[in-house]
Amino acid sequence: MTADFILDPGQIETESMRIIRAGLTCPWLEADYPVVERIIHTTGDPSLESSIAIHPEAIACGLQALKEGAKVITDVEMVRAGISKEKLKSLGGSVECFLNSPGVSEQAKAWGITRSMTAFRMNANRLRGSIVAIGNAPTALIEVLRLAENPETRPALIVGIPVGFIGAKESKDLLWEHQEFPSITVLGTRGGSPIAATVVNALIYTVLKQLK
C-alpha cells in the first residue's frame, strides 16, 4: 500500500525542494531561493511565487542580524511558536512576543488601538536591530512602520506577512512602498503566521549552513 510513497524524511524534503526549484519562474537572486522555496513548501502553493516580494538588501540584513545575535520579535504567539528557538539560541538570539504582556490590554483600551499595535508601541526600545516577524495583524505592521521611521527603534529586517481581508493587503503595500526598510512580504490578502515563521527559519538555517 505504501510502495508508491517516499517514506524517508530527508528524501521527501530533497525531492520537494527539487520540484519547487524546477517550477520557479521569477528571476530571483541566488540568496533569495531558500526563502522563496520555504514559503512555497510551507503553503504547498506554487502560485504564491508571483506575490513574494523580497527587498534587495533583506536577506543580507537578516543574516547579518542573526549572526550578531538579534532578537526576533513577533506579533502573535503562533509566529513565535513556529520559529526554531533552539537553533536561534545557538546563534545568541531569542524570540519575543509582547501581545500578552501585563498591561497591554489595559493600555490598548486607553489608547483606543489594537493590542498588537500597543504591544509594539510599549516595547519600541526592543526593536532596534531586531527581526520583526508579523504573520497575523496588519495593525502591528502599520505600527512597526511608524516606529521604523526613528533610527533608534528601527528593526534590521521586517518580515511583514499579515493575512486577511481588512488591512492586510494595504499594510503590505505600504511596507513595500517603504524601500528604505529591508523587508520580506507576500503581497495581497494571503499570508499568515506559518509563512512568517518559515521565512525566519529559512534565514536561521542559512546562517547555520554558512557557519558550518
Side-chain angles (χ1 to χ4, degrees), residues 68-89:
E68 295 174 357
K71 298 182 293 294
V72 177
I73 303 177
T74 71
D75 62 328
V76 293
E77 288 292 337
M78 187 177 290
V79 180
R80 190 183 75 83
I83 292 172
S84 298
K85 287 173 278 296
E86 286 303 312
K87 289 181 171 60
L88 180 60
K89 184 179 179 181

Side-chain angles (χ1 to χ4, degrees), residues 17 20-22 24-40 49 54 59 202 206:
M17 293 306 174
I20 291 168
R21 176 69 71 98
L24 296 178
T25 59
C26 297
W28 298 105
L29 298 174
E30 188 62 33
D32 295 340
Y33 280 112
V35 168
V36 174
E37 290 167 353
R38 286 290 171 183
I39 289 175
I40 294 173
E49 181 191 3
I54 302 177
I59 302 299
T206 298

Side-chain angles (χ1 to χ4, degrees), residues 136-177:
N136 180 265
T139 56
L141 181 52
I142 295 299
E143 181 65 15
V144 169
L145 288 172
R146 185 186 72 82
L147 294 169
E149 297 286 352
N150 182 350
E152 294 300 314
T153 54
R154 183 176 300 161
L157 172 65
I158 302 173
V159 178
I161 315 181
V163 62
F165 297 94
I166 306 298
K169 177 186 182 299
E170 292 78 6
S171 67
K172 290 183 283 188
D173 287 345
L174 184 60
L175 169 64
W176 196 241
E177 288 173 12

